[in-house]
Amino acid sequence: MTATIHRIGRATPPSLDPLMTLVAEDMNSVNAVILDRMQSRIPLIPELAGHLIAGGGKRMRPMLTLACARLIQYMGTRHHKLSAAVEFIHTATLLHDDVVDGSGMRRGRKTANIIWGNSASVLVGDFLFSRSFELMVEDGSLKVLKILSHASAVIAEGEVNQLSAQRRIETDEEQYLDIINAKTAALFAAACRIAAVVAEKDEAQEQALDTYGRHLGIAFQLVDDAIDYASDEATMGKDAGDDFRDGKVTLPVILAYARGNDEDRAFWRAAIAGHKISDDDLAHATALLRRSGAIDDTLARARHYGQRATDALGIFPASKAKDALIEAVEFAIARAY
Amino acid sequence: MTATIHRIGRATPPSLDPLMTLVAEDMNSVNAVILDRMQSRIPLIPELAGHLIAGGGKRMRPMLTLACARLIQYMGTRHHKLSAAVEFIHTATLLHDDVVDGSGMRRGRKTANIIWGNSASVLVGDFLFSRSFELMVEDGSLKVLKILSHASAVIAEGEVNQLSAQRRIETDEEQYLDIINAKTAALFAAACRIAAVVAEKDEAQEQALDTYGRHLGIAFQLVDDAIDYASDEATMGKDAGDDFRDGKVTLPVILAYARGNDEDRAFWRAAIAGHKISDDDLAHATALLRRSGAIDDTLARARHYGQRATDALGIFPASKAKDALIEAVEFAIARAY
């Protein structure tokens, strides 16, 4: 497969480097806030939180807040604390997700729930979540608090929705989009939108950044869900085929099931119900996904949302920040190739 | 045992009835907010949350907010939404606690984690927690947001601290008080304090209500921890001896261990480590607790904090609300007798 949305004339594959360079200095400040505010007199809290936070995540969401602030030429520093708040919400969600999914690996390392147990992961997640609200309160913007408290409720709803859809082969593309909109895209959107709020930009710019973040988030999740079937553990940093074994009905499965013959459908029903979990079953699933074009078309959907993300930036004049945000979209999609 | 702090001349045992009567009308409004705001288009959320919320809890914390507001003659309605926010924080904490402890019974019914599983309990807890912040943001007081986001972080810290102390017989009274201050008393204190904030009373009144709530919370938890050894399942509404089997080092155990001979201490070490979990072991533990005076003295400590709660109300003039709040303290302690 070859990525088809590279801009003509690009010599190298799309990368996150321009985004990372753009926000590097700001990110040092954000990291300082993160390290400072994950502390507690209870040693287990920084120990467990630090394992995940230091564990090589991309800090995608705080990067987006910082880059969007740059895009609209915000000159202050309020976004440092708020970027840390966004990352804390994300980290809390990951800790709880790994408990819910019983995951053993993330970012190429053992998960916190494996090392310290489910109870500690649940409670430290609660701590980080509370701490994120303390950071927002210190900033003092009720508008930011509204955006992020709403995003948090939507994320939790999305996670419960996903749990309800698990092992249900009847899940359709609409419900799937609804789930990833909530569990992933809502925080991407909020991370981008709050940049416009602290910069006191008009509603149109707020909305444009929200749309950029939301569609980037959907594209990101679509690609993640494709990669879960199209990659190996070493590349992915987590257990390959996790979604398959967990009975998660992601878009690749929805498309392959819809397009399959009776035999294929019987296989998917059994697999999603949890009766086909061997490596051979996973190999068979992957073969069905490729043969039906389900992986390719999941990535085509991702390109569609990626294009919408890019187009949402149309109202902003050309700048390094704009280029970096557009290349981040291309990077999100190119990860699959 | 006989309760010794009944005021002279009281013909009937102390009761929560005066408090409940005082706030009954306000509580109808709070219940309406709770029912309205626990809704979601994801059916599992109101189903699971409703099981616990409708499950016969006393609504102690919202009652305290309402009664404190009455005490200081607050005439508005902002405290209805905020009382619901407090109850949502508490409910989220209970859902996560029952997962952490693997509890099977609460308030005389099966726990949500037993019926719907740990994952659903974790995620619906997260939803209620987020929703509580949405309610606070709607109210719009940054001061209330600060008090309750800080209380939430302290609660989570207390829960992690408790987890770290579990199965550690070396836990001392100071660490125990630190834990119950955080996991229980912080939200009691915040629930009372925010009444003064919405009523725009001075710092001295805020502080007095905080102190009342905090000491009542400590007394409540001390009595709960005594009851866990001194009651049966039917009275308690949860599994008797849960703390014992979970290896939780509560004050009765700390006192009995400190006062025991070598043989007693060996028993406690083995029990807290998880090697003595039969009904006979529990009966032996209860006998040691009674013989060493550990239960009586835990209740004496509770009376001490109860007295401090009552004395904190000294700055407020006599009123029905004050009488009801004082009787609530007496009720909290009399539950043990």
Side-chain angles (χ1 to χ4, degrees):
Chain A
M1 285 185 283
T2 316
T4 54
I5 68 157
H6 295 177
R7 277 167 297 170
I8 293 159
R10 179 188 290 286
T12 51
S15 140
L16 272 186
D17 289 348
L19 193 68
M20 283 158 55
T21 306
L22 180 79
V23 304
E25 211 180 304
D26 285 321
M27 189 57 86
N28 285 336
S29 304
V30 175
N31 284 333
V33 178
I34 288 175
L35 283 175
D36 180 45
R37 302 309 289 275
M38 72 180 204
Q39 296 309 315
S40 159
R41 60 200 181 77
I42 314 301
L44 179 55
I45 290 177
E47 198 183 339
L48 191 155
H51 173 77
L52 183 52
I53 285 171
K58 292 183 290 294
R59 303 258 203 283
M60 194 66 207
R61 293 152 194 81
M63 271 208 289
L64 289 174
T65 307
L66 298 175
C68 287
R70 194 57 74 94
L71 177 76
I72 54 182
Q73 295 172 299
Y74 172 64
M75 303 305 278
T77 56
R78 283 174 54 198
H79 58 331
H80 295 158
K81 215 175 242 184
L82 294 174
S83 297
V86 167
E87 187 68 3
F88 278 171
I89 292 176
H90 175 57
T91 308
T93 308
L94 292 186
L95 287 172
H96 288 187
D97 273 3
D98 284 342
V99 169
V100 166
D101 293 341
S103 307
M105 287 243 304
R106 175 176 296 278
R107 298 173 182 169
R109 310 171 74 189
K110 276 191 186 169
T111 52
N113 45 304
I114 293 295
I115 302 175
W116 290 278
N118 285 342
S119 298
S121 285
V122 168
L123 298 175
V124 173
D126 289 349
F127 173 80
L128 291 175
F129 198 58
S130 303
R131 192 40 69 82
S132 82
F133 278 94
E134 287 193 275
L135 283 165
M136 290 178 235
V137 169
E138 284 172 28
D139 173 69
S141 162
L142 279 166
K143 197 165 174 184
V144 168
L145 274 156
K146 184 176 178 176
I147 291 167
L148 286 174
S149 61
H150 182 64
S152 300
V154 167
I155 292 169
E157 268 185 327
E159 301 277 356
V160 177
N161 197 5
Q162 176 173 265
L163 191 68
S164 305
Q166 211 166 349
R167 306 220 172 277
R168 288 190 62 252
I169 191 66
E170 306 79 21
T171 310
D172 64 14
E173 184 164 351
E174 293 312 305
Q175 189 180 356
Y176 167 78
L177 280 174
D178 196 19
I179 290 168
I180 67 172
N181 224 311
K183 75 166 190 166
T184 307
L187 192 56
F188 272 72
C192 294
R193 182 185 274 266
I194 60 173
V197 175
V198 295
E200 296 177 5
K201 296 295 177 184
D202 61 27
E203 172 63 26
Q205 296 189 56
E206 253 188 53
Q207 187 54 56
L209 292 184
D210 185 294
T211 303
Y212 166 81
R214 183 172 308 277
H215 289 135
L216 172 59
I218 296 176
F220 228 97
Q221 188 62 54
L222 283 163
V223 172
D224 269 358
D225 291 344
I227 289 178
D228 202 74
Y229 285 99
S231 186
D232 57 23
E233 194 179 308
T235 330
M236 206 168 21
K238 59 171 193 165
D239 297 332
D242 265 355
D243 290 347
F244 180 72
R245 274 181 279 262
D246 289 346
K248 282 197 186 150
V249 185
T250 57
L251 188 58
V253 173
I254 292 169
L255 296 178
Y257 181 70
R259 295 168 182 182
N261 59 29
D262 287 353
E263 191 189 331
D264 300 339
R265 287 171 160 247
F267 169 80
W268 285 115
R269 269 196 301 276
I272 292 303
H275 309 311
K276 305 250 175 212
I277 56 163
S278 73
D279 287 351
D280 282 353
D281 293 324
L282 176 59
H284 183 61
T286 307
L288 288 182
L289 291 167
R290 292 196 176 279
R291 195 196 308 152
S292 64
I295 297 284
D296 284 346
D297 287 354
T298 296
L299 296 174
R301 301 280 211 281
R303 284 194 296 278
H304 160 87
Y305 287 103
Q307 193 59 56
R308 287 172 69 176
T310 299
D311 285 333
L313 298 180
I315 65 169
F316 301 104
S319 68
K320 264 195 187 174
K322 186 169 171 175
D323 287 345
L325 286 164
I326 291 173
E327 191 166 342
V329 176
E330 297 169 359
F331 167 79
I333 291 159
R335 288 180 306 148
Y337 296 95
Chain B
M1 284 184 284
T2 316
T4 53
I5 69 156
H6 295 176
R7 275 167 296 170
I8 292 158
R10 178 187 291 288
T12 52
S15 140
L16 272 186
D17 290 347
L19 193 68
M20 283 158 54
T21 306
L22 180 80
V23 304
E25 210 180 304
D26 285 320
M27 189 58 86
N28 285 336
S29 304
V30 175
N31 284 332
V33 178
I34 288 174
L35 283 174
D36 180 46
R37 302 309 290 275
M38 72 181 204
Q39 296 308 315
S40 159
R41 59 200 182 75
I42 314 301
L44 179 54
I45 291 176
E47 198 183 338
L48 190 155
H51 172 77
L52 183 52
I53 286 172
K58 291 182 292 294
R59 303 257 201 285
M60 196 64 207
R61 293 151 194 82
M63 271 207 291
L64 288 174
T65 307
L66 298 175
C68 288
R70 193 58 74 95
L71 177 76
I72 56 182
Q73 295 172 297
Y74 171 64
M75 302 306 278
T77 57
R78 283 175 54 198
H79 58 332
H80 296 158
K81 215 174 241 182
L82 294 175
S83 297
V86 167
E87 186 67 4
F88 278 171
I89 292 175
H90 175 57
T91 308
T93 308
L94 292 186
L95 287 172
H96 288 187
D97 272 3
D98 284 341
V99 169
V100 166
D101 292 340
S103 307
M105 286 241 307
R106 176 176 295 277
R107 296 172 182 168
R109 310 171 74 190
K110 277 191 185 169
T111 53
N113 46 304
I114 292 294
I115 302 175
W116 290 279
N118 285 343
S119 298
S121 284
V122 169
L123 298 175
V124 174
D126 289 349
F127 173 80
L128 291 175
F129 197 60
S130 304
R131 195 38 72 78
S132 82
F133 278 94
E134 286 193 276
L135 283 164
M136 290 178 236
V137 170
E138 284 173 28
D139 173 69
S141 162
L142 279 166
K143 196 165 174 186
V144 168
L145 274 157
K146 184 175 178 177
I147 291 166
L148 285 175
S149 61
H150 182 64
S152 300
V154 167
I155 292 169
E157 268 185 328
E159 300 277 357
V160 177
N161 197 5
Q162 176 173 263
L163 191 67
S164 305
Q166 209 164 352
R167 305 220 171 278
R168 287 189 63 252
I169 191 66
E170 306 78 22
T171 310
D172 64 14
E173 182 164 353
E174 292 312 305
Q175 189 181 355
Y176 167 79
L177 280 174
D178 196 19
I179 290 169
I180 68 173
N181 224 311
K183 75 165 190 169
T184 306
L187 192 56
F188 272 72
C192 294
R193 180 184 275 266
I194 59 173
V197 175
V198 295
E200 297 177 3
K201 296 295 177 185
D202 61 27
E203 172 64 24
Q205 295 189 56
E206 254 189 52
Q207 187 55 54
L209 293 183
D210 185 294
T211 303
Y212 166 80
R214 184 172 307 278
H215 289 135
L216 172 60
I218 295 175
F220 228 97
Q221 189 62 54
L222 283 163
V223 172
D224 268 359
D225 291 345
I227 289 179
D228 201 74
Y229 285 98
S231 185
D232 57 21
E233 193 179 310
T235 329
M236 204 167 25
K238 60 172 193 165
D239 298 332
D242 265 356
D243 290 346
F244 180 72
R245 273 180 279 264
D246 289 347
K248 283 197 186 151
V249 184
T250 57
L251 187 58
V253 173
I254 293 168
L255 295 179
Y257 181 70
R259 296 169 182 181
N261 60 27
D262 286 352
E263 190 189 332
D264 300 339
R265 287 171 160 246
F267 169 81
W268 285 116
R269 269 196 301 275
I272 292 303
H275 308 311
K276 305 251 174 210
I277 56 165
S278 73
D279 286 351
D280 282 353
D281 293 324
L282 177 60
H284 182 61
T286 306
L288 288 182
L289 291 168
R290 293 197 176 279
R291 193 195 312 154
S292 63
I295 298 283
D296 283 346
D297 287 353
T298 296
L299 296 174
R301 301 281 209 282
R303 284 195 296 277
H304 160 87
Y305 287 103
Q307 194 59 54
R308 286 172 69 177
T310 298
D311 285 333
L313 297 180
I315 65 167
F316 301 104
S319 68
K320 264 195 188 174
K322 186 169 171 173
D323 287 345
L325 286 164
I326 291 172
E327 191 166 342
V329 176
E330 296 169 0
F331 166 80
I333 291 159
R335 288 180 305 149
Y337 296 94

